[in-house]
Amino acid sequence: MRFVLGIVIACAATLATVAKATEVETWLVLMVDRSGSIDDDELGLQRSAYVEILGDPEIGATFAGARVAIIEFDTRAELVVDWSTFAVAAQRYAAYAPAAPRGGTAIGGGLQLALSLLADRPGHRIVDVSGDGRDNRDQILLADMRARARREGVEINGLVFESRSSDRVARYFEERVITGFVVTIDDLNDFADALRRKLRLELQLAGLDRSEITGAGHPLRPDE
């Protein structure tokens, strides 16, 4: 009887260890801009970069304790990949067959959907917004969602195509969108490399003060 009890206790301890090892530590929502200012080729480049990097076995193994969801946004926000491992998210996003870009840039609406996905999730929570422009649909909603993210301890970071506009988009993201840091790129061909670096910053350095990373608030570039 004691022998059987010992086996039961040992099995329970093993299961507890496995459960702890597979516990989700980070929840990451990727928000991808598909508004009318981004053409088909550029949107395809973004999507392929996400598929490539999420499907990278090294990235998946390094961040096995993370789960990711993907939202695309224009005038409306759409959940295109629900919570998954990185590898599964890559497969699902690769199979996504959307229509052409449409509508305006509703960052606030995308954040509203992202925050609803993150509500009550334990661990570190991040929203990663990529885009090339300002919210031109509802600035009040955007301000409300940013304030909500701060209250709920959700980090919002940005990946900005700075050369797409003379409108100082990175500075706009710093002042109106993010609660964390911004990475800027001047050429969409640099998107994949910048995304890879950004994920590492977000997931490896999750506990750091972001002012240490951004250089007192200045946006990062891919070669920094």
Side-chain angles (χ1 to χ4, degrees):
M1 183 65 178
R2 289 181 180 177
F3 178 72
V4 173
L5 181 59
I7 293 176
V8 170
I9 292 173
C11 289
T14 300
L15 289 173
T17 301
V18 171
K20 185 174 182 180
T22 58
E23 182 180 352
V24 177
E25 300 168 352
T26 302
W27 301 87
L28 172 66
V29 179
L30 302 174
M31 275 179 54
V32 182
D33 186 349
R34 66 178 185 194
S35 61
S37 62
I38 296 177
D39 65 31
D40 289 346
D41 290 340
E42 292 163 344
L43 183 56
L45 190 153
Q46 282 189 87
R47 288 172 174 152
S48 64
Y50 280 111
V51 169
E52 173 191 342
I53 290 169
L54 291 174
D56 184 329
E58 180 184 353
I59 294 289
T62 302
F63 305 120
R67 293 295 179 271
V68 62
I70 303 175
I71 291 171
E72 289 196 354
F73 70 97
D74 44 53
T75 302
R76 66 188 183 91
E78 179 186 2
L79 176 62
V80 299
V81 176
D82 208 342
W83 292 120
S84 311
T85 63
F86 280 27
V88 171
Q91 294 170 359
R92 291 177 178 173
Y93 203 26
Y96 179 60
R102 63 215 144 262
T105 307
I107 301 173
L111 287 176
Q112 188 174 44
L113 177 55
L115 292 175
S116 70
L117 291 173
L118 290 167
D120 301 323
R121 298 285 177 180
H124 196 66
R125 297 174 294 167
I126 303 168
V127 181
D128 186 341
V129 186
S130 64
D132 71 339
R134 300 172 176 236
D135 189 312
N136 54 24
R137 284 297 178 265
D138 195 336
Q139 293 282 345
I140 294 175
L141 177 62
L142 174 58
D144 288 346
M145 292 302 102
R146 189 191 195 201
R148 175 181 166 185
R150 289 190 188 280
R151 288 195 308 271
E152 297 179 359
V154 175
E155 181 176 339
I156 304 172
N157 298 321
L159 178 53
V160 172
F161 319 145
E162 187 71 300
S163 66
R164 303 276 307 151
S165 168
S166 60
D167 208 15
R168 302 185 69 184
V169 179
R171 183 52 56 97
Y172 171 80
F173 266 59
E174 285 187 315
E175 295 176 351
R176 301 292 182 89
V177 179
I178 67 164
T179 64
F181 66 91
V182 177
V183 173
T184 64
I185 58 174
D186 295 320
D187 188 330
L188 271 173
N189 290 319
D190 296 327
F191 185 87
D193 288 341
L195 176 61
R196 186 183 298 275
R197 291 183 59 254
K198 188 166 185 289
L199 286 176
R200 291 188 182 280
L201 283 173
E202 288 168 334
L203 301 179
Q204 289 181 329
L205 308 177
L208 291 182
D209 179 350
R210 291 303 177 180
S211 64
E212 298 176 20
I213 301 172
T214 60
H218 296 294
L220 287 169
R221 292 184 179 275
D223 57 350
E224 290 182 333

